[in-house]
Amino acid sequence: VCERLKRLDLSANKLSSAEGIGGCRGITWLSLKDNQVSDLAPLRRMAQLNVLVLSSNQISRLNQLEKVAGLNSLIANNNLISSFEGITGLAMLNSLVLSHNKITEIAGISSLRNLKKLSLAHNQIRILPDLCAHPLLEELRLNDNRIMKVPPTIDRSPALKLVDLGRNRLFDISDVQNISQCRRIKNLNLLGNQRLCNGEGYHEKVVKLCEGLEILDGKRLVEKPGGKKKPLGRTDWNLEAGSNWKPGKYESIEKSSIPLLERKKHQ
C-alpha cells in the first residue's frame, strides 16, 4: 500500500516526529501542517515529492531537504526558519512560502531560477536585493518586514504581476517609480508605509506611474470619466491556504467572504 501512496495529509495530528513516513518514497504530495515537527531527516529520501506543506511546526532548519530535488512547491510558513540553507539547490522550486519565520536577509537563492511565487512576509528583512536571477517571478510578498528601499533593478523580474510591500518602511515615491518599470504589475500593495501613503497625491501618483494597475492597496480600480482610475472596493487575495492552495496562482476574492478569524490567520 505504501508503495502506491501518492498523497498523504497528516495535518493537525500533534505529531512531534515525521518518523515512519520516510519509507513511503512514492509520495508526491505531503502535508504535515499544524503539528510539532522539528526534524525533517525522515523526508530526505522522498525523492518523488512535488509539494510539501510544513506550515505551523517547530522547524528551524531545512537542510534535510537538499536531496528532494524534484520539489516544486514548499510551504513552510509559521516556523522558526532563519535562512535558506538546504533549499538553495532545489532548482525545480516554483513556489516558496516562508512567511512568519525569522529570516533577516534574502540571500543564496539565486539558483532558484524557476520561482514564480515567493512569500517572505512577516519576517525581519531590511533589504530587497537584486532579483535578476528570477525572471519568471510573478508574485512577490514581502509585507510586514523592515524594507526601506525598492532597488531600481526590480525590473529585472519582468514577469511580476503582484507585489506586496505593505507595512514596511518605504517613504519615497521613487520606490513606486522603480516598481512601475515592471510593466506587467496588476496588483500592488503599499498600505501601511505611513510616510509614503500619507504623502500628498499618493494615490494619483501611483496610478499614473503604474498604468496597467488593477488593484492598489487591496482596492480594485475602475475607470472614471476622463480616463482616470478610482478605487471600487476592497479585495483580498489568498495567501498560505494549506491544502487548498494552488502553487503559482493567486485570486482576488471579496474580503467579506472570508471569516474574520481565518483572515487574521493568513495575515
Side-chain angles (χ1 to χ4, degrees):
V1 175
C2 189
E3 292 179 358
R4 297 194 297 270
L5 192 63
K6 297 297 182 182
R7 181 184 176 103
L8 181 59
D9 190 345
L10 294 172
S11 302
N13 273 291
K14 299 182 180 179
L15 298 176
S16 59
S17 171
E19 288 288 347
I21 64 173
C24 301
R25 299 184 185 181
I27 292 178
T28 60
W29 190 102
L30 174 63
S31 177
L32 293 169
K33 179 183 177 183
D34 294 318
N35 282 291
Q36 300 166 22
V37 175
S38 59
D39 184 10
L40 300 178
L43 309 184
R44 59 189 172 193
R45 295 183 180 179
M46 300 179 71
Q48 302 292 322
L49 270 179
N50 296 138
V51 177
L52 179 57
V53 183
L54 299 170
S55 309
S56 301
N57 277 281
Q58 298 295 317
I59 298 163
S60 59
R61 302 178 67 186
L62 297 169
N63 56 328
Q64 292 100 339
L65 300 179
E66 57 190 359
K67 293 185 178 180
V68 190
L71 202 60
N72 296 137
S73 301
L74 175 60
I75 301 98
N77 52 288
N78 294 84
N79 278 286
L80 305 170
I81 300 163
S82 60
S83 78
F84 298 94
E85 181 184 1
I87 61 172
T88 56
L90 302 182
M92 300 300 292
L93 270 183
N94 60 51
S95 300
L96 179 59
V97 177
L98 294 176
S99 54
H100 291 272
N101 276 288
K102 297 182 178 299
I103 297 169
T104 58
E105 62 176 339
I106 305 174
I109 61 170
S110 59
S111 59
L112 306 182
R113 298 187 63 84
N114 287 309
L115 275 184
K116 291 186 177 181
K117 174 187 173 93
L118 177 61
S119 178
L120 299 172
H122 292 271
N123 276 285
Q124 302 165 30
I125 299 166
R126 295 179 179 273
I127 298 176
L128 176 56
D130 190 330
L131 298 173
C132 64
H134 310 291
L136 304 180
L137 193 63
E138 296 180 359
E139 301 181 31
L140 179 62
R141 302 178 188 272
L142 291 168
N143 55 287
D144 294 275
N145 277 286
R146 303 173 183 178
I147 298 168
M148 299 183 67
K149 190 69 179 174
V150 177
T153 53
I154 193 172
D155 65 350
R156 295 182 183 177
S157 293
L160 274 174
K161 297 178 182 178
L162 183 153
V163 174
D164 188 349
L165 286 164
R167 293 183 293 276
N168 273 280
R169 299 178 182 180
L170 303 177
F171 60 90
D172 199 292
I173 198 66
S174 64
D175 294 314
V176 180
Q177 292 174 328
N178 292 336
I179 294 171
S180 71
Q181 298 306 305
C182 301
R183 301 301 183 184
R184 297 184 183 180
I185 289 285
K186 300 295 182 183
N187 192 332
L188 175 62
N189 180 40
L190 299 171
L191 203 65
N193 293 279
Q194 298 298 335
R195 292 176 61 185
L196 174 61
C197 297
N198 291 340
E200 184 177 356
Y202 158 76
H203 183 273
E204 291 76 13
K205 289 177 181 178
V206 174
V207 170
K208 184 176 180 180
L209 286 167
C210 304
E211 295 181 354
L213 205 59
E214 296 177 359
I215 299 174
L216 173 60
D217 296 342
K219 295 181 180 180
R220 189 172 296 279
L221 303 174
V222 295
E223 293 284 345
K224 292 194 302 183
K228 295 183 178 180
K229 292 182 179 179
K230 68 175 182 178
L232 174 63
R234 189 159 188 81
T235 63
D236 204 345
W237 48 78
N238 197 14
L239 296 180
E240 296 79 46
S243 59
N244 295 320
W245 178 72
K246 297 181 179 181
K249 296 183 179 181
Y250 70 89
E251 56 180 9
S252 295
I253 52 180
E254 292 299 327
K255 177 167 279 191
S256 59
S257 69
I258 310 174
L260 179 61
L261 291 177
E262 189 70 14
R263 292 207 309 267
K264 288 183 176 179
K265 184 169 65 175
H266 297 310
Q267 290 176 345

